[in-house]
Amino acid sequence: MESNYVRIFDTTLRDGEQSPGATMTSAEKLELARNLARLGVDVMEAGFPAASPDDLEAVRKIAVEVGSPSDGSRAPIICGLARAARSDIDKAWEAIQPAARPRIHTFLATSDIHMEYKLKMSREQVIERAREMVAYARSLCADVEFSPEDAGRSDPRFLYEVLAEVIRAGATTLNIPDTVGYTYPEEYGALISGIVHNTAGIENCIVSVHCHNDLGMATANTLAGIRAGARQAEVTINGIGERAGNAALEEVVMAL
């Protein structure tokens, strides 16, 4: 694809399902996946296979049916989310492997507050874990996305270091989440611009944006990130998602 093509990564089936009351059965997820494919989304995050056996099976069914169309139409990339742990990555790969174009998406927190209180890991330990788990995912799957969780509150210089390491380990997409919906457009655009201009090897990757709507700025932040050089937008139908929701697919697409 040309460098200015903005990929639409729909996470309704994963982040959208974390919206209160939005839990779906396997059959409902499959029906929504069929319709997302009809819409023409580039990437479909079908679920979090390690979360439950039912979610793994739902993602696998989507990979088999929607990710490998029998009519010869272009298949969307089918993505499974995994924490930066071998067991999660193994389950994600088990679920998405039948797809024609599978992707493993793994994440690890990089903000000081998350590293200290949630992970109880040092910066050096986070870099080592991220590098090791991305390399492991890449040994299974040619398409690997990495997210530094809570990037919006992370030290940008530390982000450049982590991202350069996961690029070397084989990451093909780098997603920069505003996990707590904390940034505003100028700030988030500057974060993306800094990553684009200061991360070694970034020219070999797609930069992605994932914004939450706690301050009502998810769409504005997404567009600011795209203006700053991101070429994938992570969105959900009607902006549903955890807490106040995500950037809305229809808003981002029409604004573009």
Side-chain angles (χ1 to χ4, degrees):
M1 291 178 176
E2 68 275 15
S3 62
N4 278 329
Y5 183 86
V6 177
R7 294 143 188 84
I8 298 300
F9 176 116
D10 184 275
T11 184
T12 305
L13 294 165
R14 200 278 302 169
D15 210 344
E17 198 188 19
Q18 289 176 229
S19 182
T23 307
M24 290 175 272
T25 65
S26 296
E28 288 167 338
K29 291 187 86 165
L30 184 58
E31 180 58 31
L32 183 52
R34 291 187 190 112
N35 283 289
L36 288 169
R38 287 190 198 106
L39 271 182
V41 302
D42 299 284
V43 188
M44 194 182 301
E45 189 162 57
F48 195 163
S52 70
D54 189 58
D55 208 38
L56 190 154
E57 183 57 22
V59 175
R60 196 191 65 78
K61 285 178 179 173
I62 290 167
V64 168
E65 182 181 322
V66 182
S68 304
S70 56
D71 61 3
S73 59
R74 181 173 169 80
I77 292 168
I78 304 297
C79 179
L81 186 68
R83 289 166 297 198
R86 281 179 180 258
S87 59
D88 273 40
I89 291 167
D90 286 339
K91 286 185 170 71
W93 179 236
E94 179 186 345
I96 63 170
Q97 194 172 358
R101 302 165 71 210
R103 175 183 292 182
I104 295 172
H105 178 190
T106 190
F107 67 94
L108 188 65
T110 53
S111 66
D112 289 333
I113 191 169
H114 275 214
M115 288 189 289
E116 181 177 354
Y117 294 105
K118 185 171 82 164
L119 300 180
K120 296 179 169 54
M121 292 168 71
S122 67
R123 288 187 172 194
E124 292 72 23
Q125 288 171 317
V126 165
I127 289 173
E128 178 56 35
R129 171 78 64 83
R131 183 197 300 126
E132 183 186 345
M133 290 302 108
V134 166
Y136 180 61
R138 185 61 192 263
S139 74
L140 303 172
C141 184
D143 189 359
V144 177
E145 178 168 333
F146 175 77
S147 290
E149 188 184 7
D150 205 19
R153 295 189 296 178
S154 298
D155 173 1
R157 290 178 299 279
F158 180 56
L159 274 182
Y160 310 152
E161 191 177 350
V162 173
L163 295 174
E165 287 296 329
V166 298
I167 290 169
R168 278 194 280 273
T172 49
T173 297
L174 302 175
N175 177 53
I176 313 302
D178 180 21
T179 302
V180 295
Y182 189 75
T183 62
Y184 54 91
E186 294 85 349
E187 187 180 13
Y188 189 71
L191 178 66
I192 299 300
S193 180
I195 288 166
V196 168
H197 289 101
N198 293 288
T199 302
I202 198 77
E203 63 279 359
N204 301 315
C205 289
I206 298 296
V207 177
S208 176
V209 289
H210 181 115
C211 300
H212 283 271
N213 207 37
D214 298 72
L215 300 179
M217 297 187 194
T219 296
N221 286 342
T222 297
L223 296 172
I226 291 167
R227 278 195 297 271
R231 288 297 175 265
Q232 177 177 282
E234 306 208 352
V235 295
T236 61
I237 298 286
N238 293 332
I240 68 166
E242 194 168 2
R243 302 187 317 278
N246 291 60
L249 179 148
E250 62 283 356
E251 292 175 0
V252 171
V253 167
M254 294 312 296
L256 288 173

